[in-house]
Amino acid sequence: MAELRPVSAQEVAERLKAAHDSGALTAAPPPPTVSPDRWRLREAAALLGSFHAGSLTSPSGSADAGDLRTFVVEDCERVSTAAGSRWRLTSGVRTTVLDRLQDRHRLLDTLAAVEPDPLDIDRVMAEAYLRAAAPPLDEQTMDELTGTLHVVQWLLPARRAAEALARQGVLLPTAEEVGNTVDLAAVFQPLRLLAGEHFVGRRKELRELADYVEGAAGAEPGAPGRPPLLVHGPGGVGKSTLVARYLLDHAGAADRREFPFAYLTFDRADLLPQQPLTLLAEATRQLGLLYPACAEQANRLEHAVRSTVAAQTAVILEGIEGLLPTVMDADDEVLMHRFAQLVREVSAYRSLPLLLVLDTLEQAQRHGTDVVDRLWAFLEALQRICPVTRVVFAGRAPVHRTTCEIPLVGLEPHLALDFLRMRLAQAGITPDDAYLVSVTRKVGASPLSLKLAAELVRREGKEGLRDPEKLRDILFRLGDAEVQAVLYERILDDLEDPDLQRIAGPGLTLRRITPRLIQEALAVPCGLGEISEDRALRLFHLLATEATLVDVAQGEDVLVHRADVRQATLPLIHRKHLETSRRIHRRAVRHYAASDGPQARGEELYHRLSLGQATDVLDRHWVPEASLFLESALEELPPSGQAYLADRLGIAIDPAVLAEADGEAWARQVVRQARTLLDAGQAAAALALIRERPARPRLARVSVLEIEALAAQGRMPEARRLVTETLERAGERGDAEAFADVAVLGARIAEDLGAYGEALDLLDQARKAAATTPGRVAWLQASVAQLRIHRRSGAEEPAHVQELRTAVVAATDRLRRRDRRGHPSLVRELAAEVGDMVPGLLSEAARTTGIDNSGGSAGALEWTLTEADVTDFVHTAKGSAAVVEEPPGAPERGALSRGKTSQEWGEQVSEYLDSAPAMGATWSHALMEAYRAEVDRPRFGRGRTGHDD
């Protein structure tokens, strides 16, 4: 009998891999248990991304109805494409068919049997690779790359087919290679869409851009940087197009990349001006794509930045410490220094300029001046640390800061003629210069106006241009003051189908158009009456051909209005069709209410907001996922809708709009803005905002911020009086949750003043109120604060405090994971007081809230440890996933956390503690002391929140 021996996991993995590579674990293709005609249908679809069932034929020349039905039902799945709803093979069936066919010529034969479809990019690229005619990856368009990726993914599980094709000389890139190329192409795609074939002129502005960027060369760290450059002008004038053209000319190709850059647009929901680190993360990602040699370094830095963003976001959502918690004060600077090192690496230490383009600045400005201040301070700090950085903004309005500026107006007269001539030439129209001059005089020189004018002229045709009366009519129609809106309306007048004319204008009320929405939301309000599905589908397809007006949403049977056209024309459409628009909104609400998914919820809420529905109604229908689909719609909404949505999105709105909001919407927006002002150290501004509406009594959540604003300014008697008043009102209303919140805040003020007795009395009241509310969070917040005050008082713990400690430990053990994630500051306070009694709590706090690398407790952890403790940490970490560089010679205290963010340092200490190290007890004690140093800091010290007073 063979001797038994233990087998390691690595050995098992190696044996399984060897068996897999030999084919022993790969099931052979099943025998053809289906009919020959059905196999023929499978083979015909093997290299098709999608198809209409009727386009496939059997060997006899026409598909047998039974075989075709079985094939579609059992072997295929529905998929939405730009050409409508179609079918495709399921992945399992496709793998089986590819492994059965294998041969290159047999696969090409399957394509020859099906009518070519140029819209099926997957098929196009499959044939190109089979014929060895595919362009190199870096020369493929985004569509071609998508097709290549799909072909590669088809062959990944079809191992036999892939190996056979490789032996026949069919060489495909790896999925990783294609993915990296797709990511890189995605950086340039918006630039090419903005500055494609129709860019003309702007030579002076391009030279000014070049002069600004090239001025970064040779800058030294610490040298004063040049102020940002702002390209500004009205919508449609070509700001984004200008900066896109510059980037493509100077950095659009690897072989002529003159400098590193990142293109960052605030249109993206993940780039947040109130959290500038999100911009740094995306800039890092793009640099890693542009310079593959530095990809690994960029990936590590991106991970560190995003971890810090996630930790900051958790505290922001908790609503206690604000946009930049004290524990994370130094993180931005640490990450900026590492970003500067990455920039030096990608530029090979040649002091090349780094260009950061921040597009659609107006989106950032909507968040309020306090957010723009934070963004500006971040960028100034980045320039000090990385002085080769050049920042170019593109926005609609100047900013009240020191900037270089390139104001954009319409095109110069001869360039406007060139632009219009180029647009008309695409339609086969060659008008004389006199006519073009007449048009430009009427519509102006804005690129958007010229584009719409060209479309209108194109629709009139050559004969119309030869007719003097017709020509005068066109010019007359182009002379309205609201040029762009009128041009759009006149284009609608020229639509051939009268029913399409009726729905196209009011149809702007809908952000997304489908055949069902035409039938259910547009037809009746627009005067068509009830229409059939076939009629709605025909109108949908007619509208889809109007590329000047709408785009097809990629991968969906949905039309969306062109953003530039919608922005220019929606106000006029609403004024002319007010009641029709309201009827469309109401019908759209009913349509989307009956649909599932976050997109449907977003559209339902858009139409409810447009109708100005009350806050309590909107609350009943709000889902957090909807915010992703609504930010771009803010300026389209009435004042009440803007106030409600701005609060949900966490952005500021114009004071005039806020003044028109109802009481609840006003309170929510004021709470958000005042919270941001307090966190930015602008307590006086926060108090002024709160007191703009003198109504008394205030809602408790507004009073909480009023108390904070007073305390932050050192106006303690007023703050304490307001605490008493607010507690009385909350008690009269029976609002236990508000009572507990205000009592805890009042206790913190008293604690900071050293009035421990008053603080303990308020916390005792808070605990009693919190005990009547659901959950344990409020009770724990009051209880852990009591434990902190008893510890700080230095008195020996009486029996009732020991009982409280035991109760806090038990409640902490039962605290749900969701509550721990949602209250990171509470977790840190618990770790400071009972971390030695709750297993894993100190490790969890370090992992989720980080460990301070700055401020009064900076280094507190390491400096309380012995040399043996530090050595054990270094040696244990070297054998784990944590990356810790051992200092030369004996480990140097204070060096372990140097150069790390608070989050990285916390993650490394957490991993160390989780490994049950020999020195774990002393490390846990030291960490607990470090957290106590953090939570003992005065919350309302002038150094923290009172710099404006």
Side-chain angles (χ1 to χ4, degrees):
M1 180 176 178
E3 182 181 353
L4 297 178
R5 68 176 180 84
V7 180
S8 68
Q10 182 178 357
E11 187 176 351
V12 171
E14 289 173 351
R15 290 186 180 186
L16 288 173
K17 184 177 186 302
H20 183 274
D21 291 344
S22 68
L25 300 182
T26 305
T33 56
V34 297
S35 70
D37 272 8
R38 184 171 159 196
W39 265 113
R40 172 66 175 172
L41 292 168
R42 288 180 169 187
E43 292 176 355
L47 295 178
L48 304 183
S50 63
F51 54 87
H52 290 297
S55 66
L56 304 183
T57 59
S58 70
S60 60
S62 61
D64 175 82
D67 280 332
L68 183 58
R69 186 180 303 108
T70 304
F71 163 73
V72 168
V73 171
E74 297 188 11
D75 298 342
C76 302
E77 59 190 0
R78 277 281 188 185
V79 59
S80 294
T81 73
S85 182
R86 304 176 80 170
W87 296 96
R88 71 178 173 198
L89 283 184
T90 60
S91 58
V93 172
R94 193 189 300 272
T95 299
T96 299
V97 175
L98 291 174
D99 271 338
R100 171 173 165 150
L101 289 170
Q102 295 188 15
D103 183 74
R104 168 189 174 188
H105 297 291
R106 292 180 66 190
L107 286 167
L108 284 170
D109 288 343
T110 68
L111 293 176
V114 182
E115 190 70 25
D117 180 2
L119 295 179
D120 185 355
I121 194 63
D122 296 348
R123 171 196 173 130
V124 170
M125 296 312 295
E127 183 171 5
Y129 278 104
L130 289 173
R131 298 189 185 280
L137 284 180
D138 59 0
E139 295 179 13
Q140 292 184 23
T141 66
M142 183 63 82
D143 283 344
E144 289 172 337
L145 285 169
T146 302
T148 295
L149 183 60
H150 290 164
V151 173
V152 170
Q153 290 170 340
W154 293 345
L155 286 167
L156 278 176
R159 191 178 185 88
R160 286 192 174 88
E163 291 173 351
L165 289 171
R167 288 193 296 271
Q168 297 169 45
V170 178
L171 301 178
L172 289 166
T174 66
E176 182 180 9
E177 289 171 338
V178 183
N180 290 339
T181 308
V182 168
D183 289 341
L184 181 59
V187 174
F188 289 100
Q189 185 186 34
L191 303 177
R192 294 190 174 110
L193 289 174
L194 285 166
E197 303 173 359
H198 305 298
F199 186 88
V200 297
R202 303 294 195 194
R203 298 302 169 196
K204 172 177 172 290
E205 290 84 357
L206 288 171
R207 284 195 302 272
E208 291 177 2
L209 264 172
D211 290 343
Y212 174 81
V213 174
E214 291 166 7
E220 295 295 331
R226 299 179 67 186
L229 173 67
L230 175 62
V231 180
H232 63 88
V237 79
K239 304 175 294 293
S240 300
T241 301
L242 175 69
V243 294
R245 184 69 267 159
Y246 178 76
L247 285 176
L248 291 174
D249 288 345
H250 294 271
D255 59 350
R256 53 184 176 87
R257 193 161 291 142
E258 299 174 14
F259 49 78
F261 77 93
Y263 176 73
L264 312 166
T265 173
F266 291 114
D267 279 336
R268 285 179 47 168
D270 60 329
L271 299 184
L272 308 174
Q274 66 270 38
Q275 285 185 272
L277 283 182
T278 59
L279 304 177
L280 196 72
E282 176 59 17
T284 301
R285 187 188 76 86
Q286 291 186 23
L287 289 179
L289 293 170
L290 292 168
Y291 299 90
C294 299
E296 185 177 349
Q297 180 183 353
N299 289 339
R300 288 197 303 269
L301 177 56
E302 183 189 355
H303 173 76
V305 179
R306 295 197 187 280
S307 295
T308 301
V309 169
Q312 290 183 358
T313 301
V315 180
I316 292 169
L317 293 177
E318 188 181 19
I320 291 176
E321 293 209 47
L323 288 179
L324 188 60
T326 306
V327 67
M328 300 171 184
D329 274 345
D331 288 349
D332 283 16
E333 186 171 348
V334 168
L335 293 168
M336 285 184 218
H337 278 289
R338 285 158 62 176
F339 181 76
Q341 177 61 31
L342 174 64
V343 172
R344 288 192 288 273
E345 293 285 349
V346 301
S347 61
Y349 287 85
R350 289 180 291 155
S351 294
L352 294 178
L354 165 71
L355 177 56
L356 299 181
V357 173
L358 280 67
D359 204 355
T360 59
L361 177 61
E362 63 272 9
Q363 299 281 15
Q365 290 170 311
R366 290 192 327 194
H367 290 254
T369 55
D370 49 307
V371 169
V372 176
D373 288 344
R374 171 158 170 72
L375 173 64
W376 215 266
F378 179 89
L379 293 170
E380 287 179 341
L382 180 62
Q383 259 194 325
R384 284 195 302 271
I385 293 168
C386 184
V388 296
T389 303
R390 288 294 175 263
V391 179
V392 171
F393 287 106
R396 293 187 184 175
V399 291
H400 301 296
R401 290 168 179 82
T402 301
T403 59
C404 305
E405 291 192 9
I406 300 180
L408 279 192
V409 292
L411 296 171
E412 296 176 20
H414 70 283
L415 296 177
L417 294 179
D418 289 344
F419 184 92
L420 190 57
R421 185 182 294 108
M422 186 186 305
R423 285 277 178 175
L424 291 175
Q426 288 185 312
I429 299 174
T430 311
D432 57 57
D433 285 350
Y435 175 76
L436 293 176
V437 169
S438 300
V439 173
T440 57
R441 284 176 178 170
K442 294 291 184 181
V443 305
S446 165
L448 176 57
S449 296
L450 292 168
K451 182 167 64 174
L452 290 172
E455 175 62 17
L456 181 55
V457 173
R458 183 189 68 79
R459 290 168 184 270
E460 296 297 335
K462 293 182 179 179
E463 294 304 317
L465 293 176
R466 296 193 183 98
D467 183 345
E469 185 176 343
K470 192 71 170 178
L471 186 145
R472 284 194 302 272
D473 183 50
I474 294 173
L475 295 179
F476 174 76
R477 287 192 283 166
L478 297 183
D480 196 285
E482 295 175 288
V483 174
Q484 293 167 359
V486 172
L487 286 169
Y488 173 79
E489 191 175 40
R490 297 311 185 190
I491 289 172
L492 299 184
D493 289 343
D494 283 327
L495 296 176
E496 293 183 3
D497 188 288
D499 287 352
L500 186 60
Q501 283 185 20
R502 291 184 179 184
I503 69 169
L508 275 174
T509 303
L510 300 175
R511 300 197 306 167
R512 294 163 61 85
I513 297 177
T514 66
R516 278 192 62 195
L517 277 165
I518 290 175
Q519 185 180 19
E520 296 178 7
L522 290 181
V524 172
C526 294
L528 303 186
E530 300 289 345
I531 63 174
S532 66
E533 291 183 16
D534 287 344
R535 181 60 177 150
L537 186 61
R538 181 173 180 276
L539 288 170
F540 175 84
H541 287 304
L542 283 173
L543 186 57
T545 64
E546 300 294 335
T548 304
L549 310 179
V550 296
D551 291 320
V552 178
Q554 190 169 359
E556 299 181 90
D557 290 328
V558 175
L559 302 178
V560 293
H561 291 97
R562 291 181 60 95
D564 51 2
V565 174
R566 181 178 180 82
Q567 186 177 28
T569 57
L570 189 60
L572 177 64
I573 296 297
H574 280 175
R575 287 198 300 272
K576 293 194 65 174
H577 304 280
L578 179 60
E579 185 52 40
T580 299
S581 292
R582 292 188 63 80
R583 293 176 65 194
I584 292 170
H585 283 308
R586 288 192 288 267
R587 285 175 168 264
V589 167
R590 291 196 293 271
H591 168 86
Y592 283 114
S595 304
D596 296 324
Q599 177 85 67
R601 295 289 70 72
E603 295 308 309
E604 177 190 351
L605 282 160
Y606 168 77
H607 293 289
R608 290 185 183 278
L609 289 162
S610 298
L611 287 167
Q613 293 186 346
T615 297
D616 59 338
V617 174
L618 296 170
D619 281 346
R620 290 198 298 271
H621 296 279
W622 179 265
V623 294
E625 298 81 3
S627 61
L628 296 173
F629 304 98
L630 289 170
E631 184 167 1
S632 62
L634 185 68
E635 294 175 358
E636 298 178 8
L637 301 173
S640 61
Q642 287 190 43
Y644 181 91
L645 182 57
D647 172 66
R648 289 293 192 176
L649 296 177
I651 61 179
I653 57 173
D654 185 88
V657 175
L658 181 59
E660 296 188 40
D662 63 35
E664 178 63 25
W666 176 87
R668 292 181 184 183
Q669 181 69 194
V670 164
V671 165
R672 191 208 68 78
Q673 291 188 37
R675 175 79 271 161
T676 303
L677 289 167
L678 283 168
D679 297 335
Q682 300 180 43
L687 187 62
L689 176 66
I690 292 168
R691 291 181 170 178
E692 279 182 0
R693 282 195 183 185
R696 291 281 185 176
R698 299 193 189 284
L699 296 173
R701 60 184 181 276
V702 179
S703 293
V704 165
L705 293 173
E706 189 174 5
I707 293 166
E708 282 195 46
L710 290 168
Q713 296 177 83
R715 297 162 65 174
M716 297 304 185
E718 292 177 76
R720 296 166 89 175
R721 281 197 301 272
L722 188 53
V723 167
T724 302
E725 294 173 9
T726 308
L727 287 175
E728 289 176 355
R729 289 197 301 271
E732 291 169 358
R733 293 194 306 270
D735 189 345
E737 185 176 349
F739 187 97
D741 287 344
V742 175
V744 169
L745 174 60
R748 186 75 221 207
I749 293 172
E751 179 185 351
D752 287 354
L753 293 172
Y756 290 162
E758 178 186 341
L760 289 172
D761 179 61
L762 284 168
L763 290 170
D764 191 54
Q765 297 180 58
R767 283 200 305 119
K768 292 175 181 177
T772 67
T773 63
R776 299 182 177 89
V777 170
W779 185 87
L780 275 172
Q781 286 172 332
S783 299
V784 76
Q786 279 192 311
L787 292 179
R788 182 180 64 248
I789 292 172
H790 280 295
R791 170 177 56 77
R792 295 185 68 188
S793 69
E796 185 176 345
E797 283 192 358
H800 74 275
V801 176
Q802 295 175 10
E803 292 174 2
L804 175 62
R805 185 178 303 280
T806 301
V808 168
V809 168
T812 302
D813 280 333
R814 297 193 300 271
L815 194 62
R816 295 176 299 178
R817 180 176 297 181
R818 182 179 65 185
D819 289 332
R820 290 174 185 248
R821 286 198 306 264
H823 296 86
S825 296
L826 173 60
V827 171
R828 186 167 71 244
E829 292 182 2
L830 289 168
E833 307 306 327
V834 298
D836 54 344
M837 302 175 68
V838 181
L841 182 60
L842 284 164
S843 173
E844 179 184 359
R847 186 171 58 254
T848 58
T849 69
I851 301 173
D852 191 5
N853 278 348
S854 65
S857 60
L861 175 60
E862 290 181 60
W863 289 105
T864 57
L865 299 168
T866 67
E867 184 175 302
D869 298 328
V870 175
T871 299
D872 185 62
F873 175 84
V874 171
H875 290 166
T876 302
K878 284 178 69 175
S880 71
V883 178
V884 179
E885 296 182 3
E886 184 176 356
E892 177 191 347
R893 272 188 269 179
L896 296 182
S897 62
R898 193 174 301 145
K900 300 179 179 69
T901 65
S902 60
Q903 192 65 25
E904 289 175 309
W905 181 215
E907 288 174 358
Q908 290 184 1
V909 172
S910 173
E911 186 171 344
Y912 171 74
L913 293 177
D914 289 344
S915 70
M919 303 297 181
T922 54
W923 270 84
S924 294
H925 174 74
L927 181 57
M928 194 167 173
E929 290 300 318
Y931 279 133
R932 286 181 174 180
E934 291 176 18
V935 301
D936 289 353
R937 293 173 184 161
R939 182 172 172 186
F940 296 105
R942 291 184 61 82
R944 174 65 182 148
T945 57
H947 75 252
D948 67 343
D949 305 305

